[in-house]
Amino acid sequence: MENLHFTVERMKLMGIVKTIGAGLSNQAAERVQRSCKVVDKRTRVRGGSGDFSASTYYYITFEFDGGERMELEVKDTDFGMIVIGDRGELHYKGTRFLEFVRVMEA
């Protein structure tokens, strides 16, 4: 049982280190602006059993010229305002979504 406790604590620590590393990498990354099209949206719900509350995570997949795709986690408000098929300018930094500016086509 003690080994299981150690393994769980080790996994938690590895998750914290990974999160900090991703944050530092994003902070050091350049701000990028690229033209793209929104091709998919999805949500992921975690938790919610017993006494635990559920958390919902929101993701949007953007497709750039040439077919390259990138999925980024976004805030719920951005998720609600961006529609599959939208075209515009994606602003991001590393793996962090900053904003999407829709381009209205005539």
Side-chain angles (χ1 to χ4, degrees):
M1 189 68 167
E2 190 172 311
N3 284 340
L4 177 62
H5 177 72
F6 176 75
T7 301
V8 170
E9 292 303 315
R10 186 173 171 198
M11 289 174 60
K12 287 180 185 178
L13 180 60
M14 288 173 49
I16 291 169
V17 169
K18 183 178 177 183
T19 301
I20 291 170
L24 292 174
S25 177
N26 284 339
Q27 190 170 345
E30 286 185 39
R31 182 183 174 114
V32 178
Q33 177 180 333
R34 295 177 71 183
S35 295
C36 66
K37 177 181 178 180
V38 176
V39 294
D40 199 16
K41 295 171 64 172
R42 70 180 180 93
T43 59
R44 179 174 147 212
V45 179
R46 293 189 69 183
S49 62
D51 293 334
F52 297 100
S53 62
S55 297
T56 304
Y57 301 87
Y58 301 89
Y59 301 89
I60 298 178
T61 303
F62 302 92
E63 184 175 88
F64 306 106
D65 295 336
E68 177 190 356
R69 291 183 175 197
M70 174 183 280
E71 181 182 69
L72 297 172
E73 184 176 349
V74 301
K75 295 177 185 172
D76 58 347
T77 52
D78 293 311
F79 188 85
M81 296 300 294
I82 299 171
V83 178
I84 294 174
D86 280 351
R87 292 184 178 276
E89 296 290 323
L90 172 65
H91 300 251
Y92 63 96
K93 192 171 181 178
T95 59
R96 185 184 306 141
F97 172 87
L98 299 175
E99 71 175 326
F100 178 76
V101 181
R102 185 179 297 109
V103 174
M104 299 295 186
E105 298 178 355

